[in-house]
Amino acid sequence: MSFSYDTKNELCKLPVQKLCCARAEAYGILLYCNTFSSTEVRIITENPNFAARLPKLFQRAFSLRFDRMPEPGTPGKLVFQITDRKKLDRIINALGYDPRQNLVLHINFGLLEEECCRASFLRGTFFAGGSLTDPQKRYHLELNTSHLQASRELEVLLRECGYPPKSLARNGSFITYFKQSDQIEDFLTWIGAPVAAMRIMSAKVEKDLRNSVNRRLNCDSANLDKAVGAAQEQMEAIRKLREAGLLEQLPDKLQLTAALRLEYPELSLSELAESFDPPVTKSCLNHRLRKLVELAKPL
């Protein structure tokens, strides 16, 4: 199952209790479902848990039953439909619209004054029009509707609640979306999916740890390559000096340094400095090796 599917299953476990919250959740579903007009409500889902929640939710919110519901255990797409005029008028009235006028869908903020009702409304929008990408791949949550005004007002609502989203139009649909992991975590926690939010947090920690390890390995590899290159350059310089008969003419300290570098080509600068008796500092050894390289350059 997808991460989005699992998240909706988690939300379906929340009880349908307060009338105001049930109505707010149903409101979000209607604005973001397949069809909501003065002549029809049509909600299509493939999630059996959401399908089981819908009848209870609409009974609590509007005291009505769907005119069409799928049979229990029906696979594939599950269709819920209301076409009865009286039922539609009841829904439209309950949401503060005028059934005698053309239904222009927008958000009635008067129904969302309480914090719990706002969370329920957003849960409904996610149920009907929401999708969520697996956080192991990337961070992306979007809410998709065919109603421009509702989409614009949802963006206003989210900004007021402290979650400024982004928006775009795609193939006749209007998308409100988040791409920041912390915003998605907060949104999911708010609408009642803390387990999904924790999974995103865990994925983020895992990614950060993996990236940190990779950076460390890359840094260590680069340092190792640099050290190997430097050692090779030093040994080549020492061989040139020896072949030219100049090595024996150098001061004892430089001769000793050259001998130890040739004997221990695999040692790092710090390790080579420790092999002297008595040990020398890394800075001192580095100075001596640079001197040998400089002397060999004319050769």
Side-chain angles (χ1 to χ4, degrees):
M1 295 300 176
S2 69
F3 184 62
S4 185
Y5 190 95
D6 291 342
T7 302
K8 291 181 181 182
N9 283 342
E10 181 184 355
L11 292 171
C12 284
K13 296 176 183 178
L14 296 173
V16 178
Q17 293 180 332
K18 295 171 64 177
L19 173 61
C20 62
C21 292
R23 186 165 291 175
E25 183 178 322
Y27 190 15
I29 291 170
L30 288 168
L31 288 180
Y32 277 72
C33 71
N34 303 84
T35 304
F36 177 32
S37 68
S38 57
T39 58
E40 182 187 19
V41 165
R42 180 187 293 264
I43 304 169
I44 302 175
T45 180
E46 294 186 9
N47 188 318
N49 291 312
F50 179 46
R53 183 180 182 85
L54 277 171
K56 294 183 289 185
L57 182 67
F58 273 67
Q59 179 63 42
R60 179 66 175 137
F62 307 114
S63 300
L64 56 78
R65 292 172 54 84
F66 286 96
D67 297 329
R68 175 188 174 189
M69 290 194 301
E71 293 294 327
T74 303
K77 293 184 177 180
L78 309 173
V79 180
F80 294 80
Q81 188 178 32
I82 299 174
T83 53
D84 182 273
R85 184 67 196 188
K86 291 182 179 179
K87 292 181 180 179
L88 291 167
D89 285 351
R90 188 187 308 171
I91 292 173
I92 292 168
N93 273 320
L95 299 180
Y97 301 122
D98 189 344
R100 296 169 298 179
Q101 299 178 352
N102 290 331
L103 187 58
V104 178
L105 293 177
H106 62 88
I107 297 176
N108 180 358
F109 286 92
L111 297 176
L112 308 178
E113 293 181 352
E114 299 297 328
E115 187 81 8
C116 58
C117 294
R118 291 187 172 196
S120 298
F121 174 79
L122 293 172
R123 181 164 58 247
T125 65
F126 182 75
F127 269 137
S131 62
L132 187 58
T133 303
D134 187 338
Q136 294 290 350
K137 299 176 181 177
R138 61 192 179 102
Y139 307 120
H140 186 86
L141 182 151
E142 68 177 41
L143 304 167
N144 185 328
T145 182
S146 59
H147 307 297
L148 174 59
Q149 189 61 28
S151 178
R152 286 175 173 173
E153 292 176 350
L154 178 70
E155 184 175 347
V156 172
L157 174 64
L158 288 167
R159 289 185 183 278
E160 287 181 355
C161 296
Y163 305 105
K166 296 183 179 180
S167 59
L168 59 87
R170 181 198 302 148
N171 300 327
S173 295
F174 304 98
I175 315 295
T176 305
Y177 66 97
F178 297 107
K179 296 183 75 69
Q180 299 295 324
S181 61
D182 55 344
Q183 288 183 318
I184 297 173
E185 291 162 13
D186 291 343
F187 179 86
L188 292 176
T189 301
W190 190 27
I191 67 174
V195 174
M198 286 299 297
R199 286 180 62 185
I200 293 177
M201 293 179 196
S202 298
K204 184 167 62 175
V205 169
E206 184 179 333
K207 283 182 182 179
D208 290 345
L209 179 60
R210 190 184 305 124
N211 290 337
S212 176
V213 170
N214 286 339
R215 284 194 298 271
R216 180 65 182 270
L217 289 174
N218 290 338
C219 181
D220 289 347
S221 177
N223 288 338
L224 180 60
D225 290 344
K226 186 177 178 181
V228 169
Q232 289 176 339
E233 182 185 21
Q234 294 155 9
M235 291 175 64
E236 182 64 23
I238 293 167
R239 291 192 187 100
K240 285 181 178 180
L241 291 170
R242 185 173 59 186
E243 290 170 2
L246 299 177
L247 191 60
E248 295 79 7
Q249 301 175 22
L250 297 178
D252 292 344
K253 290 181 180 180
L254 290 181
Q255 290 189 48
L256 177 59
T257 299
L260 287 174
R261 173 44 91 195
L262 289 175
E263 184 178 356
Y264 303 111
E266 76 285 354
L267 294 185
S268 67
L269 208 59
S270 299
E271 292 168 336
L272 187 62
E274 290 291 327
S275 66
F276 282 76
D277 185 20
V280 299
T281 65
K282 180 179 176 181
S283 175
C284 174
L285 177 58
N286 191 37
H287 175 74
R288 292 183 187 179
L289 290 169
R290 281 207 306 267
K291 183 67 174 177
L292 289 170
V293 172
E294 289 295 322
L295 290 172
K297 278 184 177 179
L299 303 178

